Amino acid sequence: MSTRPEPLFPLFSGLETLEGIGPKTSLLLAHLGVQAPRDLLFTLPYSGIDRHLQDSVKDAVLPATLTVAVTVGPHRAAPTKSGAYRIHVEDAQTSFQLVFFHARGDFWKRQLPEGSRRIVSGRVEMFDGTAQMVHPDFAVPEAEADTIPSFEPVYPLTGGVTQKLMYKATRAALSRVPEMDEWIDPEQKKQANWPSFSDAVVQAHDPKSLEDLAATAPARERLAYDELLAHQLTLALARASERRKKGRSSKGEGHLRKRVLAALPYKPTGAQTRAIGEITADMATDLRMNRLLQGDVGSGKTLVAFMALLAAVEAGGQGVLMAPTEILARQHLQGLRPLAEDAGVVLEILTGRDKGAERQAKLAALERGDIQILVGTHAVFQETVVFQDLRLAVVDEQHRFGVRQRLELGKKGRLADVLVMTATPIPRSLALAQYGDMDVSVLDEKPPGRQPIRTALISTERIDEVIDRLRAAIAEGRQCYWVCPLVEESEVSDLIAAEARFERLRAALGEGVVGLVHGQMPPADKDAAMAAFQTAQTKVLVATTVIEVGVDVPNASIMVIERAESFGLAQLHQLRGRVGRGTAASTCLLMYQAPLSETGRQRLEVLRETEDGFVIAETDLKMRGTGDLIGTAQSGVPRFRVADLERQAGLMAVAQSDARKLLADDPKLETMRGRSARLLLWLMRQDEAIPLISVG
């Protein structure tokens, strides 16, 4: 394993090596995500206090932080022990008071003797018609005026950590930045007018005005770019090392695919045909495929994936399709069985529920190669699962799998190709952040026959009208989803909300008409409830967001989403996509709790206006930010300390092309700029990328 370069040692030593930081403070700083001096460099001030010397407090709009030169006047001792000690002072135009609580004896008489000149800086407020500065931040003799920063940076804090401490700690970290050669393309740096790295960190921590705190300020933009470049280099290295991995050529002559296409009642869309072409071309080369298939709800990803799986079978191998949940795996099974029968291919399912002799029989058949296509949950990862010849792994609903699991799955087959499917339209900046290591195919057309969905906003006060509409729809033989709101984090309260709604609808619509499915149910009960709805025994399915991904009931044509304002736009779009799958005109009712906030209304109106998932995802990103959009914890999207994915999507794209170009020109990172880029990877804690650097 390569080791961290020596020039960076001081930045990665313990925090206690910085002056004034002991064991207790370093524990507190850990709450800010600061573990080493290096992290202080990227903990930038988020605001600033203007302490330029003013002539007087007279015409200032109070309250405000002001810095003025004063002559100290008479002192007035506090009337009680905890009362206010007041000092009368005069600036060039008016007088005001300095106020201290818990003042000790003659301390202030010595510090601010009557008749002396001082520069004071602090927050000035009006109190009983008098301007007061309570506990000034600075009170220094005129000769020491330069000890007051003219624009003081304000840092994010945590309990027990003060601004003074952060200021001191960041200066100490800055003094450890080594001289480093440039890793940014010289043309790019010149065009963007960026400072060097060492100048950029100093400037970012020493803003001269509010403009210097903007993301577009050259110093900050440069540091954001450095973060993005390191991240994109890591992805590009992962991509290059995946691509260098010898794959196996899986060329099918197409007889199985022809059978399926002949049996289909419709023609695939242009986008589907294009994606199938891209995927099978990748599979035919002797390099590993690592491709993302991105398509909106109902764009026909499953057919594309099945065609790819058939190509693997035609080449004499096996394929696996993995889904994140049991429900989805079973649904894929139902959807693909008829197609597999058309092709004459053996398709089987394997989930955590297969036990004992039945499981053993499936595993043996898989190892013999009798099962050609396997559908499963992550139970497919287990040691005991052995394929005879796995050629293609398809992973559904990517954001539940990180880069690591993608690599794990690839190991199952000797040199298996990997195709990842996601139904979440991802804004470009996030797609670059999350999947920069992959090649991407996009399905941007809807298959013929998909009905548009009418979307309406309705207040929860009108719930009785909604129930009446359901009654009428059920009488016409239609089915309906009713999604319950996301209650606080606890699953117990989700459950209570769902059960209460279930009881009310059952009372209104009759026994046996309404089913319930939620996250706390045992898997067998969940499947039974889903099956009853799929076979139309129940007409209304009350659900928590368990049904978000992939559930397919063509006869369901109404989707009611309660407290829609508490969901993310992308999630609402996914849920809405559960209807409109059959021939009936479909409706989605977004029920909101009045009064809606302005942004709440804007967000829901976006859904009413468009069914384009990409437009919705971009809007969601602008309105909510990256973290909320995909639940950052499990999203696989990196957390940047300086870069802002929503606002700096363009910067991310430049970083991606720069990273790919640098590696194309210098795959081993051996030139001067290449070696600096290695340093950047260490500096940005992307050291897992180092072993991926081309070794021939």
Side-chain angles (χ1 to χ4, degrees):
M1 179 64 204
S2 43
T3 46
R4 181 177 293 125
E6 206 164 309
L8 296 179
F9 285 1
L11 286 175
F12 284 88
S13 56
L15 282 173
E16 285 131 78
T17 60
L18 294 174
E19 196 191 337
I21 294 188
K24 198 169 148 222
T25 309
S26 63
L27 281 175
L28 294 171
L29 283 168
H31 293 299
L32 290 170
V34 172
Q35 268 131 19
R38 170 256 175 234
D39 302 320
L40 284 164
L41 299 179
F42 296 97
T43 307
L44 298 184
Y46 65 89
S47 174
I49 301 169
D50 190 341
R51 295 194 191 273
H52 285 93
L53 192 60
Q54 312 280 332
D55 195 31
S56 167
V57 303
K58 189 172 168 209
D59 297 319
V61 181
L62 301 182
T65 297
L66 299 170
T67 306
V68 289
V70 296
T71 302
V72 180
H75 290 229
R76 210 167 73 225
T80 62
K81 198 172 169 198
S82 59
Y85 183 98
R86 299 173 187 276
I87 304 176
H88 183 86
V89 294
E90 294 195 4
D91 65 23
Q93 297 181 33
T94 184
S95 61
F96 60 99
Q97 289 182 344
L98 303 182
V99 180
F100 300 91
F101 292 97
H102 307 292
R104 295 189 304 281
D106 293 339
F107 178 77
W108 291 113
K109 285 221 162 83
R110 290 196 303 279
Q111 289 292 321
L112 303 170
E114 195 169 333
S116 63
R117 292 281 294 166
R118 290 287 187 270
I119 297 201
V120 293
S121 181
R123 190 172 165 81
V124 181
E125 302 186 63
M126 289 304 283
F127 189 75
D128 277 350
T130 307
Q132 298 188 344
M133 186 184 285
V134 179
H135 288 275
D137 302 319
F138 295 90
V140 301
E142 283 184 305
E144 294 169 29
D146 58 355
T147 60
I148 301 179
S150 55
F151 187 81
E152 186 185 10
V154 176
Y155 287 94
L157 300 179
T158 178
V161 176
T162 61
Q163 286 297 342
K164 274 204 169 74
L165 190 138
M166 278 302 285
Y167 188 83
K168 219 171 135 183
T170 47
R171 302 311 112 169
L174 286 169
S175 70
R176 299 189 172 193
V177 175
E179 267 310 308
M180 295 181 281
D181 287 323
E182 188 53 78
W183 45 74
I184 295 181
D185 173 61
E187 228 359 80
Q188 170 63 31
K189 184 174 169 234
K190 195 171 111 196
Q191 205 186 324
N193 191 22
W194 287 334
S196 69
F197 177 79
S198 48
D199 289 347
V201 274
V202 170
Q203 289 168 25
H205 283 278
D206 187 18
K208 298 287 183 258
S209 68
L210 286 170
E211 280 81 79
D212 292 344
L213 297 166
T216 48
R220 287 208 170 210
E221 194 176 65
R222 146 106 216 198
L223 295 177
Y225 185 79
D226 288 336
E227 274 191 309
L228 297 174
L229 182 64
H231 173 65
Q232 285 299 327
L233 267 172
T234 302
L235 289 175
L237 282 163
R239 177 169 177 261
S241 86
E242 275 299 302
R243 291 193 143 184
R244 278 199 310 279
K245 282 197 181 140
K246 291 301 286 172
R248 297 162 62 202
S249 163
S250 296
K251 274 199 185 92
E253 71 316 353
H255 67 285
L256 299 176
R257 282 170 285 171
K258 283 198 190 87
R259 280 187 213 162
V260 172
L261 289 173
L264 284 179
Y266 56 87
K267 236 174 84 109
T269 63
Q272 282 176 311
T273 308
R274 185 177 66 236
I276 293 168
E278 289 167 349
I279 294 162
T280 49
D282 274 5
M283 290 172 67
T285 69
D286 57 4
L287 295 171
R288 281 279 280 279
M289 170 169 79
N290 191 22
R291 187 172 278 278
L292 174 71
L293 176 62
Q294 193 182 355
D296 208 345
V297 183
S299 55
K301 289 179 296 297
T302 317
L303 177 70
V304 174
F306 190 64
M307 287 301 187
L309 289 163
L310 287 181
V313 176
E314 288 168 1
Q318 293 164 295
V320 62
L321 170 60
M322 277 178 61
T325 64
E326 179 106 21
I327 288 182
L328 272 180
R330 299 212 165 269
Q331 187 173 293
H332 276 309
L333 182 73
Q334 284 170 350
L336 295 178
R337 260 231 160 109
L339 297 176
E341 280 163 13
D342 292 331
V345 169
V346 182
L347 178 83
E348 209 24 280
I349 187 166
L350 182 70
T351 67
R353 211 183 306 161
D354 289 301
K355 298 274 188 287
E358 188 186 352
R359 181 179 173 83
Q360 286 313 320
K362 280 187 186 177
L363 291 177
L366 197 62
E367 198 166 352
R368 284 197 306 274
D370 295 350
I371 295 172
Q372 293 162 296
I373 296 177
L374 184 68
V375 175
T377 54
H378 51 232
V380 175
F381 274 137
Q382 291 162 351
E383 292 290 300
T384 48
V385 181
V386 181
F387 291 83
Q388 186 201 27
D389 179 11
L390 178 63
R391 297 289 186 107
L392 173 67
V394 181
V395 182
D396 186 16
E397 268 317 303
Q398 161 58 24
H399 58 261
R400 323 264 170 116
F401 294 108
V403 176
R404 275 201 189 84
Q405 284 102 322
R406 298 210 279 265
L407 299 175
E408 274 298 294
L409 191 64
K411 287 181 196 149
K412 271 281 169 214
R414 203 166 56 77
L415 319 173
D417 288 321
V418 178
L419 176 69
V420 170
M421 301 196 290
T422 174
T424 317
I426 308 165
R428 177 141 179 266
S429 58
L430 289 189
L432 288 174
Q434 211 172 346
Y435 308 115
D437 59 327
M438 307 182 83
D439 297 300
V440 182
S441 294
V442 179
L443 296 179
D444 45 14
E445 300 170 51
K446 285 220 163 145
R450 287 289 305 229
Q451 300 289 325
I453 302 166
R454 200 176 83 80
T455 302
L457 273 58
I458 186 165
S459 155
T460 41
E461 289 150 15
R462 296 168 57 192
I463 189 166
D464 291 328
E465 291 173 45
V466 174
I467 294 176
D468 290 340
R469 277 184 70 175
L470 286 195
R471 201 176 282 115
I474 292 167
E476 291 169 16
R478 289 160 64 184
Q479 285 174 276
C480 164
Y481 291 104
W482 189 297
V483 176
C484 291
L486 280 167
V487 196
E488 295 75 69
E489 287 304 288
S490 102
E491 291 173 329
V492 183
S493 40
D494 274 357
L495 182 62
I496 295 167
E499 289 187 329
R501 184 55 66 234
F502 170 68
E503 293 301 340
R504 177 162 178 187
L505 290 174
R506 191 166 65 173
L509 301 171
E511 265 321 298
V513 177
V514 187
L516 172 66
V517 53
H518 58 74
Q520 305 304 89
M521 288 171 124
D525 298 359
K526 214 185 282 185
D527 285 0
M530 291 299 305
F533 187 62
Q534 278 171 323
T535 54
Q537 290 164 353
T538 52
K539 307 295 181 201
V540 177
L541 183 63
V542 175
T544 52
T545 46
V546 187
I547 63 153
E548 179 185 340
V549 187
V551 181
D552 197 359
V553 180
N555 189 42
S557 59
I558 299 176
M559 168 65 74
V560 179
I561 303 173
E562 212 174 324
R563 296 297 302 271
E565 74 278 10
S566 68
F567 292 90
L569 282 183
Q571 210 177 11
L572 290 169
H573 176 63
Q574 289 291 323
L575 287 165
R576 170 169 67 179
R578 298 296 122 231
V579 295
R581 294 176 163 242
T583 45
S586 292
T587 307
C588 174
L589 295 178
L590 301 175
M591 288 176 76
Y592 62 87
Q593 180 103 30
L596 259 185
S597 68
E598 191 42 44
T599 52
R601 175 169 298 283
Q602 280 172 355
R603 287 181 48 227
L604 295 181
E605 282 176 352
V606 171
L607 280 157
R608 194 168 63 189
E609 300 308 314
T610 178
E611 277 192 66
D612 182 327
F614 287 95
V615 171
I616 289 167
E618 289 288 355
T619 311
D620 204 9
L621 182 62
K622 281 197 191 78
M623 296 185 84
R624 287 208 303 165
T626 337
D628 300 336
L629 192 56
I630 23 208
T632 313
Q634 43 89 359
S635 68
V637 169
R639 297 178 170 208
F640 297 113
R641 292 187 79 111
V642 183
D644 175 339
L645 277 185
E646 295 106 82
R647 294 182 190 78
Q648 297 182 308
L651 214 52
M652 174 70 100
V654 178
Q656 186 188 50
S657 64
D658 279 3
R660 288 187 174 184
K661 180 170 184 334
L662 174 60
L663 282 173
D665 297 346
D666 181 11
K668 300 184 186 180
L669 296 182
E670 289 172 324
T671 60
M672 193 159 95
R673 187 175 158 217
R675 288 199 302 277
S676 307
R678 287 173 185 247
L679 210 58
L680 170 70
L681 289 169
W682 283 106
L683 179 65
M684 294 299 180
R685 298 192 186 278
Q686 297 277 348
D687 20 324
E688 70 268 24
I690 306 279
L692 299 174
I693 294 167
S694 168
V695 208

